[in-house]
């Protein structure tokens, strides 16, 4: 179950934000009546989901996640979702289901720490420690990456990929580590996640199920197999993978992930190489998804990316700027005229840039103007 933000004000901030997968215990008499599981109406303070833009669907009937571009599936993968069992102790009850409805990405993190909630200790018949106890901290407990949706719900990796495609979690949505990293690059803060399907509502959780679903083993994150490959060889590898003929080939995503990490650190060649390959794939779905990686790079390293745009060819610069703007704005389902609308140039005021960043900034500004013109034309036509 979820818990409102107001009811968690007294909880230490880090624990609240990073708890993840924490089914919330409420007094048994206060549990709300179940809602229609297929309701996907957004919260009143969020825009509706536009079906012509990008968003994420989690189907708890199929135990499947789909990254959508309009009505087209860019990629899909099996997930683990809530079992539907409950855990009752004294006057408290924890419901381990994946709630339906529309949520929005609040933030995202690589190699997240899991702050273990009360129910884990109760489930494992151990004393519940204080909220700030080191016993609650588990490195690697949420896999390689996590996308947080608020209300203690996250989409995250797992060290048990053999359990995906089943109802095996305590409420969170589990992905393989490779797909958790992929989703991490695909989405931005504010991207809608629509959870649909009929979640099971079962009885008291047996001890056997608790053992089957309990937290990840205490394992170190796996080493990146591409860590020792040179940047030049990684870029050549990326070219081959982007050109792959199969519509479902996805090896490029991990190569791009590795290059992106280097590029946002100190490897300017890696970042320029990624930017210069915008629009390179002949596969339309792959080209669309690749743009989300560039948008992610910009959101995490706006100054570095803007300067890097200045240092690639003019045609490549324009393609990369267009990809960044398109992917960023297609994650935003609200009005283009709000003060919170995430126009990329708002991240990097032009006056903060020296001569080395002007061409990149102007390319992004031009791509924004073109996007706005297309949006206005589409609206006027009623499409």
């Amino acid at each position: 179950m979820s818990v409102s933000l107001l009811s968690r004000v007294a909880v230490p901030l880090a624990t609240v934000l990073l708890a993840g997968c924490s089914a919330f215990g409420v007094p048994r008499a206060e549990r709300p009546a179940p809602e229609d599981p297929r309701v996907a109406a957004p919260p009143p303070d969020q825009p509706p989901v536009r079906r012509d833009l990008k968003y994420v669907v989690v189907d708890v009937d199929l135990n499947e996640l789909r990254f959508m571009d309009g009505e087209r599936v860019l990629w899909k993968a099996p997930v683990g979702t809530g079992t539907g069992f409950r855990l009752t102790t004294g006057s408290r009850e924890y419901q381990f289901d994946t709630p339906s409805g529309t949520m929005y990405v609040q933030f995202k993190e690589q190699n997240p720490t899991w702050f273990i909630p009360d129910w884990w200790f109760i489930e494992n018949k151990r004393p519940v420690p204080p909220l700030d106890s080191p016993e609650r901290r588990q490195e690697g407990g949420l896999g390689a990456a996590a996308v947080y949706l608020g209300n203690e719900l996250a989409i995250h990796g797992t060290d048990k990929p053999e359990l995906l495609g089943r109802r095996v979690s305590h409420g969170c949505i589990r992905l393989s580590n490779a797909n958790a990293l992929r989703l991490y690059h695909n989405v931005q803060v504010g991207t809608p996640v629509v959870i649909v399907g009929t979640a099971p509502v079962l009885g008291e959780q047996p001890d056997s199920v608790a053992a089957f679903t309990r937290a990840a083993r205490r394992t170190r994150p796996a080493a990146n197999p591409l860590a020792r490959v040179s940047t030049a060889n990684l870029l050549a590898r990326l070219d081959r993978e982007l050109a792959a003929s199969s519509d479902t080939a996805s090896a490029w995503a991990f190569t791009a992930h590795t290059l992106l990490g280097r590029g946002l650190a100190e490897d300017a060649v890696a970042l320029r190489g990624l930017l210069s390959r915008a629009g390179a794939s002949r596969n339309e779905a792959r080209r669309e998804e690749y743009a989300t990686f560039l948008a992610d790079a910009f959101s995490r390293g706006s100054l570095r990316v803007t300067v890097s745009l200045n240092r690639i060819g003019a045609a490549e610069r324009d393609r990369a700027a267009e990809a960044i703007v398109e992917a960023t704005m297609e994650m935003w389902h609200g009005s283009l005229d709000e003060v919170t609308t995430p126009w990329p140039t708002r991240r990097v005021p032009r006056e903060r840039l020296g001569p080395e960043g002007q061409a990149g900034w102007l390319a992004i500004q031009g791509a924004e103007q073109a996007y706005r013109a297309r949006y206005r034309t589409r609206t006027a036509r009623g499409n």
Side-chain angles (χ1 to χ4, degrees):
M1 292 290 290
S2 61
V3 55
S4 70
L5 184 61
L6 290 176
S7 67
R8 295 181 293 166
V9 170
V11 180
L13 181 60
T15 304
V16 170
L17 293 178
L18 300 178
C21 300
S22 303
F24 181 62
V26 296
R28 296 172 66 182
E30 296 179 14
R31 286 200 65 208
E35 299 177 352
D36 179 353
R38 289 195 174 271
V39 170
D45 59 341
Q46 296 284 1
V49 177
R50 285 186 45 169
R51 300 293 177 169
D52 57 331
L53 301 179
K54 289 185 173 67
Y55 54 99
V56 178
V57 171
V58 176
D59 190 325
V60 299
D61 286 337
L62 300 178
N63 285 306
E64 180 180 83
L65 178 143
R66 299 185 287 274
F67 182 50
M68 306 295 296
D69 177 27
E71 296 300 319
R72 177 178 56 177
V73 178
L74 294 182
W75 63 270
K76 61 183 179 180
V79 295
T81 57
T83 62
F85 284 108
R86 69 173 180 268
L87 176 65
T88 305
T89 173
S91 62
R92 310 300 293 181
E93 183 176 288
Y94 300 86
Q95 187 68 45
F96 299 134
D97 54 14
T98 299
S100 60
T102 300
M103 302 181 185
Y104 294 80
V105 174
Q106 303 298 309
F107 70 105
K108 56 185 185 174
E109 186 179 27
Q110 290 188 54
N111 299 316
T113 297
W114 185 38
F115 290 88
I116 304 176
D118 289 357
W119 57 255
W120 187 90
F121 296 96
I122 296 168
E123 182 181 80
N124 286 277
K125 298 177 172 56
R126 293 172 55 178
V128 178
L131 286 174
D132 58 353
S133 169
E135 291 184 65
R136 289 186 180 266
R137 186 182 181 94
Q138 185 180 103
E139 307 296 338
L142 299 179
V147 171
Y148 296 91
L149 307 180
N151 290 344
E152 301 186 358
L153 187 69
I155 307 173
H156 63 79
T158 179
D159 68 343
K160 297 179 181 178
E162 68 276 9
L163 299 183
L164 297 178
R166 305 162 73 176
R167 288 173 175 145
V168 293
S169 81
H170 292 86
C172 275
I173 299 149
R174 300 180 186 177
L175 273 171
S176 70
N177 281 327
N179 283 325
L181 282 171
R182 187 177 184 180
L183 185 70
Y184 170 90
H185 294 301
N186 289 156
V187 300
Q188 299 290 323
V189 171
T191 301
V193 177
V194 183
I195 304 175
V196 299
T198 305
V201 179
L202 305 177
E204 196 69 18
Q205 176 174 271
D207 285 343
S208 59
V209 172
F212 181 69
T213 63
R214 70 176 37 120
R217 298 180 289 271
R218 294 178 182 269
T219 58
R220 294 182 179 179
N224 186 333
L226 302 180
R228 296 188 177 183
V229 179
S230 71
T231 294
N233 286 338
L234 279 178
L235 289 169
R237 177 189 180 110
L238 181 63
D239 287 334
R240 294 192 299 271
E241 291 167 346
L242 289 175
S245 57
S246 171
D247 288 344
T248 58
S250 60
W252 69 267
F254 193 75
T255 305
H257 158 75
T258 305
L259 286 163
L260 199 158
R262 292 184 186 184
L264 292 181
E266 298 180 352
D267 192 337
V269 173
L271 186 53
R272 292 199 299 267
L274 282 171
L275 292 168
S276 66
R277 284 159 175 79
S281 177
R282 295 182 179 180
N283 181 290
E284 185 178 359
R286 196 171 301 150
R287 192 165 60 245
E288 289 279 343
E289 188 184 352
Y290 187 86
T292 69
F293 277 60
L294 299 186
D296 177 56
F298 187 85
S299 73
R300 295 162 58 202
S302 303
L303 284 170
R304 188 178 294 271
V305 170
T306 303
V307 172
S308 294
L309 285 171
N310 211 57
R311 296 174 179 174
I312 61 178
E316 295 170 334
R317 180 189 309 131
D318 289 342
R319 286 196 299 270
E322 180 182 7
I324 289 168
V325 171
E326 292 278 341
T328 299
M329 302 311 297
E330 288 185 0
M331 299 287 178
W332 174 252
H333 290 229
S335 166
L336 298 187
D337 300 320
E338 297 176 10
V339 296
T340 55
T341 303
W343 292 106
T345 52
R346 288 181 173 175
R347 290 183 176 273
V348 189
R350 188 178 179 183
E351 58 271 16
R352 291 182 57 193
L353 294 167
E356 71 279 5
Q358 294 300 314
W361 193 92
L362 289 171
I364 295 171
Q365 182 190 53
E368 289 179 351
Q369 292 170 346
Y371 183 88
R372 185 182 286 275
R374 287 195 299 276
Y375 175 84
R376 296 305 183 201
T377 300
R378 188 168 63 240
T379 303
R381 292 175 180 172
N383 295 328

